[in-house]
Amino acid sequence: MATFTVKTGMVMRKVAVVLVLVSVGLLFVQFVGLTPTVGNTDDLRFAQKVNLALRRTAHHLLAEKGDSISRIPPVQQLNTTVFRVRLEQPFDYGRLPTLLEQSLAIHGINGNYDVTVLDCVSGELQLGYNFLDLRKDSGVPCVGRKQGPGCYNLQLVFTAPTTQNQPGTVWGAGLLGFLLLGGAYVFWIRANKESNKSITLTNDTVPNAGMLIRVGQLTFSNTNQVVTVAGVQHTLTYREAKLLHLFMRHPNQLLERDFILKSVWEDEGIIVGRSVDVFVSRLRKLLQTDPAVRIVAVHGVGYRLEVTLIQGSA
């Protein structure tokens, strides 16, 4: 039986080095007057959700006017907080607040925002409101006013919160850095004392490099593209595994078709909307033996992985 020997002293030295680097990084960030910013991944995810919410709103505005075939142009992102979609014809402004609020809620977007309706040609403000108007008895301003024929830009502007360094924050970061440096020093001393110790692992106890996700009677390995349902193992295709992974990362959440297509098929040159239905049908057949997990279609919106009991992940 194969064995693996790990020097504990080497491991502890590496931990100490990591703690030192983290401490120095935190101190640098605070004392040069910078604050941590939202990562690019979070910005991209937020932009995707706003994109889907605006497209859903535009779709329903046009559909309620009897237009179910006109193409909705891509949503424009002017910066990290400003998004705009172009509508080539007038719409019912009175329905806008409700539809937009519903769309934002579906995608878990909240916070302060302003809504403006701009003339496509002149850029002049025609109508608009702030999200707090929805909570007032007086309601949204300008509701009931008629729009003339023409093209309109529906613009959504989020108010980004501003943060400033306070003295307490700097001192707190300094204390945290001191504690981390002290912890690194203790680890370093222990590593030197225990450098001759080792741990022997058999091939049965070496940790699996793959990540397993367990839901109901279902166990999914994204690394190996294998799903086990009620004790039966199935090998998935690349696209099936990517779609199932997306659902399992968002249990009991409604995922719109556009979001699914972008997340699973964005690496393809041509996206066929029917692909979602085909692959969902395949996954349903594989999951049908597990009563705790099922993929439910929400007509006209998308799909949701309904889970009655989540056992956890390992």
Side-chain angles (χ1 to χ4, degrees):
M1 179 177 293
T3 61
F4 303 85
T5 301
V6 181
K7 294 289 186 178
T8 58
M10 294 176 60
V11 174
M12 296 183 73
R13 286 193 185 96
K14 291 181 180 180
V15 172
V17 171
V18 171
L19 286 174
V20 170
L21 292 176
V22 170
S23 302
V24 173
L26 285 173
L27 291 172
F28 175 79
V29 166
Q30 289 297 330
F31 285 105
V32 298
L34 297 177
T35 55
T37 57
V38 178
N40 291 334
T41 301
D42 291 338
D43 288 340
L44 177 60
R45 179 73 184 109
F46 175 76
Q48 289 175 344
K49 293 195 293 185
V50 175
N51 189 314
L52 292 173
L54 268 181
R55 292 189 66 84
R56 179 183 184 276
T57 303
H59 164 73
H60 285 289
L61 286 173
L62 294 178
E64 290 186 0
K65 282 291 186 178
D67 183 358
S68 59
I69 60 174
S70 294
R71 175 179 176 272
I72 299 176
V75 173
Q76 295 178 310
Q77 182 177 357
L78 305 185
N79 55 48
T80 56
T81 60
V82 181
F83 300 82
R84 176 186 295 177
V85 64
R86 182 186 180 102
L87 299 175
E88 298 291 346
Q89 58 179 286
F91 54 89
D92 187 353
Y93 177 73
R95 291 284 295 144
L96 173 59
T98 299
L99 290 174
L100 180 58
E101 188 176 39
Q102 290 175 350
S103 299
L104 294 175
I106 286 176
H107 295 284
I109 302 172
N110 51 42
N112 195 336
Y113 61 86
D114 292 310
V115 179
T116 53
V117 179
L118 309 172
D119 184 272
C120 290
V121 179
S122 65
E124 293 180 350
L125 174 65
Q126 304 294 313
L127 302 164
Y129 65 92
N130 179 268
F131 88 112
L132 292 176
D133 291 325
L134 301 173
R135 280 68 176 169
K136 297 178 181 179
D137 293 336
S138 57
V140 174
C142 301
V143 169
R145 297 184 181 275
K146 294 183 178 181
Q147 293 174 260
C151 169
Y152 296 91
N153 281 320
L154 173 58
Q155 183 167 286
L156 185 58
V157 182
F158 291 91
T159 303
T162 57
T163 57
Q164 297 180 348
N165 284 329
Q166 301 296 330
T169 303
V170 176
W171 283 108
L175 177 60
L176 176 61
F178 178 80
L179 293 175
L180 287 174
L181 284 171
Y185 177 76
V186 172
F187 267 102
W188 190 272
I189 296 299
R190 290 188 60 188
N192 287 331
K193 290 182 179 180
E194 302 181 11
S195 58
N196 293 325
K197 295 182 179 181
S198 64
I199 300 174
T200 301
L201 304 175
T202 67
N203 57 355
D204 294 328
T205 58
V206 176
N208 188 350
M211 179 65 73
L212 297 179
I213 304 176
R214 295 190 179 94
V215 175
Q217 302 180 44
L218 183 152
T219 302
F220 173 60
S221 171
N222 186 45
T223 304
N224 301 323
Q225 296 180 201
V226 171
V227 61
T228 302
V229 186
V232 180
Q233 189 176 93
H234 306 274
T235 300
L236 305 179
T237 65
Y238 168 75
R239 203 67 63 186
E240 290 170 344
K242 196 171 182 181
L243 179 59
L244 181 59
H245 192 215
L246 178 67
F247 279 127
M248 296 187 72
R249 284 189 291 113
H250 302 85
N252 297 317
Q253 296 181 28
L254 176 60
L255 303 182
E256 291 200 355
R257 295 176 63 87
D258 287 346
F259 173 66
I260 296 174
L261 282 170
K262 185 171 183 60
S263 300
V264 180
W265 281 271
E266 64 180 352
D267 55 345
E268 296 185 0
I270 300 177
I271 299 176
V272 181
R274 184 62 180 167
S275 299
V276 176
D277 304 320
V278 173
F279 279 82
V280 166
S281 178
R282 294 181 188 175
L283 292 181
R284 278 174 167 168
K285 292 179 181 178
L286 294 178
L287 306 181
Q288 62 185 356
T289 57
D290 185 354
V293 181
R294 64 172 185 160
I295 301 176
V296 178
V298 179
H299 182 68
V301 181
Y303 292 94
R304 176 173 55 243
L305 178 68
E306 290 191 350
V307 181
T308 57
L309 174 64
I310 301 179
Q311 296 179 340
S313 60

